[in-house]
Amino acid sequence: MSSLEVKDLHVTINGSHILQGVNFFVPENKVTALLGRNGVGKSTTLKAIMGLNPGTGSIKFGGTEIVAMPTHKIVRLGMGYVPEDREIFASLTVKENLSLAARDEKPNYEMVYALFPELLTRTGQRAGTLSGGQQQMVAISRALLNQNKILLIDEPTKGLAPKLVTEVAKSLAHIADHSTMLIVEQNLALVKAIAQNIIVMDQGKVVFEGGPENLQDESFVKSMLGVSGGHK
Amino acid sequence: MSTFLLILITGIGLGALYFLVASGLSLIYGLMGVLNFAHGAFLTIGAFTGLWIATKVFPNPTTWTFIFSMFAGGIAAGLFALLMEQLVITRLYNRHIDQALVTVGVSLVVTALLGGWFGFDARFLPTPLWFTKAATIGDAIIPVDRFIYIGVAAILLIAMLSILKFTRIGLIIRAGVENRSMVTALGINVRLAFSTVFFIGGFAAGVGGVLISVFSYGVSPLMGGSWLIYGFIVVVVGGMGSIAGSAIAAMLIGITNQFANYYVTGLGDFVVVIILAAVLLTKPTGLLGKVSH
Ligand SMILES: Nc1ncnc2c1ncn2[C@@H]1O[C@H](COP(=O)(O)OP(=O)(O)O)[C@@H](O)[C@H]1O
Ligand SMILES: [Mg+2]
């Protein structure tokens, strides 16, 4: 069981009520994209699921209530997280970043290095000196090393050069084939390519849940996301 | 030349003592954001434990009994640090002001209890006879105790760096100093790292307490407080969370302090404050600071 059910989730940070009753469902073995304009609460939602922002309401992961659980216990239930802005450990080497993340008895290094061969040649390099794209590869690899039941991925292509966007998108499509994923992504071409469901948030609430075919509709995209066409 | 060497080695010896106090302070702040005002109490507890061993348990001091005193002082202070962390600090998780206040309280209680028990007069800590000898290097005559401080601090520096570099818990500590919440987001319980850092920091301060008793000719309940101030200065200059930064800053401050004092008595402390101000103005994160929060 790897589905995720969020019910009436509220998060208040420093007195501002950021999530105001968020409800959605992430089905098993499918990719669900969480969309919405900047500042509507997408990252806050992922952090609340991770236990990084204390929230109230209910979050059920594979049937287990995780809303008041400490973060490390939630993660050990099988949750992989790729945060916005990557948050790799700059002073640690690539290898140290990965070994820190490895918690399975047999972490799947072969898969990670097969997906990102670039990292293999840089295992001893400090992660802070990697390019943005390589740092994102480290961040994604941390989540893939273990047999996770769900992956939460926050804006993986943000700030990357176009060529790297394609590369990261390709690897995400590869991963998406056989996992449960909740992904926040502004690049609608990527969303269309990998997502089976979309959720749209606005001002701390979910305002739409449905299929990705809605993204073909220009007026839907414009009214929901405030952008036109398939790009930012 | 001989005076230069004497002052230099005395400065490095003093720096070694500063390092023993500052290293734990730096790690504790770097990882947990706790300004630990009880660190001076760790030092005092180490010194009193060393005194007890050196006067009551092995009243005839030899090199080995002294090493044992240092070790016992380190363990006692480390366990006390661990106890404080478990009983008090963990209950005030992420409440940094409350944590700092509580460590002030612990420090006052320890000072008052030891003062009530032993009085505030400095008590002599017996050492092996050879500690009071001097070594001749070229034409410089240098008291050997300096080399003991330097040697012990070097061993602890290497041990701490090795733990940080080569062990899993060390990896967690280094990562936690950079970004603690991301460490938990990898499924790691950071509490064990917190306890480890308190124990190691307490151990170093306790060993430092025994050596400082030798350096300043006595053990007193008030000794922790005055050395704590230097510890904080070293941590700020070296950078929070960096052991190597603490070591470099401790040497810098120890050496300049001694040279300044040689030319004008009392100028040393003034120069230390100048260094502190210069670092704060030009590089507020300290020489090798890693903490960005
Ligand atoms: N730590 C914080 N302190 C104060 N406000 C925050 C914090 N984190 C996020 N916010 C606010 O919460 C809102 C939602 O932010 P976020 O979840 O990052 O949006 P999104 O990821 O959808 O762009 C924003 O208005 C942001 O300013
Ligand atoms: Mg965001």
Side-chain angles (χ1 to χ4, degrees), chain A residues 50 52 71-72 75-76 81 83 87-92 96 99-103 142, chain B residues 165 168 171-172 174-176 178-190 290:
Chain A
M50 288 291 294
L52 293 168
T71 299
H72 69 273
V75 171
R76 286 179 194 174
Y81 176 52
E87 303 198 35
I88 48 104
F89 299 98
S91 72
L92 308 190
E96 287 173 334
S99 75
L100 189 69
R103 48 172 214 279
R142 289 193 302 203
Chain B
K165 182 103 185 109
R168 169 97 187 151
L171 182 61
I172 293 171
R174 279 186 290 146
E178 243 190 78
N179 184 345
R180 202 174 71 206
S181 72
M182 192 59 219
V183 173
T184 67
L186 295 175
I188 295 164
N189 185 355
V190 286
K290 291 187 177 151

Side-chain angles (χ1 to χ4, degrees), chain B residues 174-282:
Chain B
R174 279 186 290 146
V177 166
E178 243 190 78
N179 184 345
R180 202 174 71 206
S181 72
M182 192 59 219
V183 173
T184 67
L186 295 175
I188 295 164
N189 185 355
V190 286
R191 292 281 287 270
L192 185 62
F194 292 177
S195 305
T196 307
V197 160
F198 261 93
F199 181 79
I200 292 177
F203 184 88
V207 170
V210 177
L211 291 176
I212 286 168
S213 312
V214 178
F215 173 81
S216 56
Y217 307 108
V219 177
S220 126
L222 299 174
M223 63 194 288
S226 51
W227 283 78
L228 179 67
I229 295 170
Y230 279 96
F232 274 126
I233 293 176
V234 166
V235 169
V236 172
V237 171
M240 301 289 188
S242 168
I243 290 287
S246 290
I248 293 167
M251 292 306 138
L252 177 73
I253 289 175
I255 293 167
T256 41
N257 179 303
Q258 287 302 301
F259 275 101
N261 267 339
Y262 173 73
Y263 292 109
V264 185
T265 311
L267 187 65
D269 291 344
F270 181 70
V271 172
V272 168
V273 173
I274 299 284
I275 295 177
L276 177 66
V279 168
L280 282 177
L281 288 173
T282 56

